[in-house]
Amino acid sequence: MKLIGPFKQIITLANLPLRGKLADEQLQIIENGGILVNEGVVEEVASFHDLSQKFPDAEIEPVAGTQVCLPAFADCHTHICFGGNRANDFAMRNAGKSYLEIAESGGGIWSSVQHTRSAVEEELITSTLERVNFLLSLGITTIEIKSGYGLDAENELKMLRVIRKVQTMTEATLIPTCLAAHLKPRDFEGSNSDYLNYITDTILPLVKEEKLAKRVDIFIEKSAFQPEEGRDFLLKAKELGFYITVHADQFTPGSSRIAVEVGAKSADHLEATADDDIAFLANSETVAVALPGASLGLGEKFTPARKILDANGILAIASDWNPGSAPMGNLVTQASILAAFQKLSTAEVLAGMTFRSAYALGLEDRGKLEKGMKADFVTYKTDNFQNVLYRQGSLEAETVFVNGKRIGND
């Protein structure tokens, strides 16, 4: 066993509920604390002095200077496997161009599809690993990564194979999701329904055969797939044995209700969710995932996170890092800004980036520092954990631990 510490403060997030609003007074703060790790799992969190007395044979791993410790973060929605660059989209959007005008000029999702299709695996492995390492440096040790820039069997599988190969090159946990239903590709001859049938009949069986992903996503929106098309597709994916999630209510309401009705693990975006649908969503087991990076990148309103929490919903916060609408990738910065606009407590933000976000991925073994949980945590050189959000991402993580092993930059 190994005893790591002492930390000025350890914020355990222990005993916090999965759903609903949280007050900062509910946070367990252990002063001058230590974390006892046994085979990659948290054995006990308590006073460093008390643990050193209780376990005199434990190996001591000292922490230099004044540091606080938080559970590592989970980013449950990213698109970080892609080729190309869409900086011009961002510039055109800020100059007042519409989505359609940008797409017609060669931008938009189709631009990323073309660049990703033309990239060889080695290029995608290198760029995806770079982005994973950036997230890892922020203290994000669990990362969901979607396909969705291939949009045919060859290239969707290429993307998912890239994600699998990157998993062998990083200490982070990568969760692949098949988003072949991102939109109908321009070179597909047939209707939306025909393309969705192509996914369920051709792509998903191959994904399952190679064990490339257990999760399937779809973008339900006017510019992509319609609600009833999405419902039928999700039910078929579920019949094939996949967990399902939905890009829901980004610009128009209604699809979050479908996500709940078909038993999706999460409904992500929700910027346009109507009040009645907030109540419907909050009364379900489907996680509401706020994506403030997309709101910032597009200049759109934020997910109604405050209303979701007040309605007793399960709220996670993720980056949506992608080459178009959410190019930043810094989850801590985005969550800090979301907190300011939606009046979220520090406890609510931390829960949304840790155990609640992990739950959206079907993972209940991480996101809290308590006995039996995966020993993933992040430290900061400060004497007050509130500085992490107060500094809005400019307070860099000092050290990241995965399974109790130090992988940080010191």
Side-chain angles (χ1 to χ4, degrees):
M1 289 193 291
K2 179 168 60 175
L3 176 58
I4 306 170
F7 297 101
K8 175 67 175 176
Q9 296 174 325
I10 301 175
I11 314 304
T12 68
L13 304 187
N15 304 315
L16 294 181
L18 179 62
R19 61 174 63 246
K21 56 187 177 181
L22 298 169
D24 288 348
E25 290 75 18
Q26 293 173 261
L27 290 172
Q28 181 187 55
I29 304 172
I30 298 177
E31 303 283 349
N32 301 310
I35 302 174
L36 189 71
V37 176
N38 185 19
E39 296 183 350
V41 174
V42 175
E43 182 68 26
E44 191 171 343
V45 184
S47 157
F48 183 84
H49 177 266
D50 291 351
L51 288 174
S52 64
Q53 296 298 306
K54 185 176 178 181
F55 299 94
D57 295 330
E59 173 192 351
I60 302 293
E61 182 168 332
V63 170
T66 301
Q67 297 189 42
V68 301
C69 180
L70 303 173
F73 308 122
D75 193 339
C76 64
H77 184 127
T78 84
H79 303 252
I80 59 173
C81 180
F82 62 85
N85 177 287
R86 281 162 61 189
N88 192 50
D89 284 23
F90 184 73
M92 293 176 68
R93 189 160 54 242
N94 291 347
K97 298 294 184 182
S98 70
Y99 181 91
L100 182 59
E101 288 173 321
I102 292 171
E104 288 178 344
S105 68
I109 291 173
W110 187 244
S111 169
S112 292
V113 171
Q114 291 174 300
H115 283 106
T116 304
R117 285 181 175 181
S118 64
V120 297
E121 277 197 15
E122 289 72 20
E123 292 177 71
L124 291 175
I125 288 170
T126 298
S127 61
T128 303
L129 181 60
E130 287 176 354
R131 297 177 192 120
V132 166
N133 285 339
F134 172 74
L135 294 178
L136 195 55
S137 76
L138 301 178
I140 301 168
T141 62
T142 300
I143 305 165
E144 187 260 15
I145 308 178
K146 302 180 190 296
S147 63
Y149 295 124
L151 306 188
D152 61 24
E154 176 186 355
N155 289 288
E156 284 293 305
L157 265 61
K158 178 178 75 173
M159 292 185 70
L160 292 169
R161 290 176 188 134
V162 163
I163 297 167
R164 181 167 62 187
K165 288 177 181 177
V166 172
Q167 177 65 90
T168 68
M169 306 165 75
T170 178
E171 299 286 347
T173 300
L174 306 184
I175 306 297
T177 299
C178 180
L179 180 58
H182 204 172
L183 81 170
K184 189 187 77 171
R186 293 183 182 181
D187 56 1
F188 182 86
E189 295 182 2
S191 66
N192 277 2
S193 294
D194 291 336
Y195 178 64
L196 292 176
N197 287 335
Y198 166 67
I199 296 172
T200 55
D201 295 345
T202 302
I203 297 179
L204 293 186
L206 294 171
V207 171
K208 191 171 184 179
E209 180 182 341
E210 292 192 37
K211 299 180 180 178
L212 292 171
K214 296 180 180 179
R215 290 164 43 88
V216 167
D217 195 353
I218 184 173
F219 185 21
I220 299 179
E221 190 50 70
K222 287 182 178 179
S223 61
F225 298 102
Q226 305 312 303
E228 288 309 311
E229 294 172 340
R231 183 198 301 274
D232 292 343
F233 170 80
L234 289 164
L235 289 173
K236 288 180 182 178
K238 199 172 179 182
E239 287 175 7
L240 289 170
F242 291 93
Y243 299 102
I244 53 176
T245 183
V246 184
H247 278 62
D249 295 359
Q250 183 174 10
F251 303 111
T252 53
S255 48
S256 60
R257 191 170 279 265
I258 288 175
V260 171
E261 290 170 350
V262 299
K265 191 64 178 173
S266 70
D268 304 20
H269 274 295
L270 309 175
E271 295 91 338
T273 304
D275 286 350
D276 287 348
D277 290 343
I278 289 173
F280 189 76
L281 176 62
N283 196 38
S284 76
E285 296 303 312
T286 299
V287 180
V289 180
L291 302 174
S295 300
L296 293 168
L298 294 172
E300 299 283 349
K301 62 184 179 180
F302 289 100
T303 302
R306 180 73 272 150
K307 289 183 177 181
I308 291 167
L309 288 167
D310 288 347
N312 206 37
I314 309 171
L315 179 81
I317 305 171
S319 74
D320 192 25
W321 189 0
N322 72 70
S325 61
M328 180 199 294
N330 192 320
L331 176 60
V332 178
T333 295
Q334 296 170 12
S336 302
I337 295 171
L338 178 71
F341 278 86
Q342 287 288 306
K343 304 307 176 191
L344 306 182
S345 70
T346 298
E348 288 167 340
V349 175
L350 294 180
M353 294 192 294
T354 55
F355 66 92
R356 288 176 171 179
S357 188
Y359 181 81
L361 297 173
L363 302 171
E364 300 181 50
D365 65 341
R366 64 199 67 198
K368 296 183 178 184
L369 294 175
E370 58 185 4
K371 184 177 176 62
M373 300 295 269
K374 193 173 187 290
D376 286 12
F377 43 95
V378 56
T379 78
Y380 297 87
K381 276 195 171 181
T382 181
D383 61 358
N384 178 4
F385 75 96
Q386 292 173 318
N387 284 326
V388 175
L389 298 184
Y390 169 64
R391 294 279 299 276
Q392 297 181 319
S394 65
L395 180 64
E396 295 183 356
E398 177 66 17
T399 309
V400 180
F401 290 81
V402 175
N403 298 325
K405 176 186 174 184
R406 186 185 300 250
I407 62 167
N409 51 16
D410 66 347

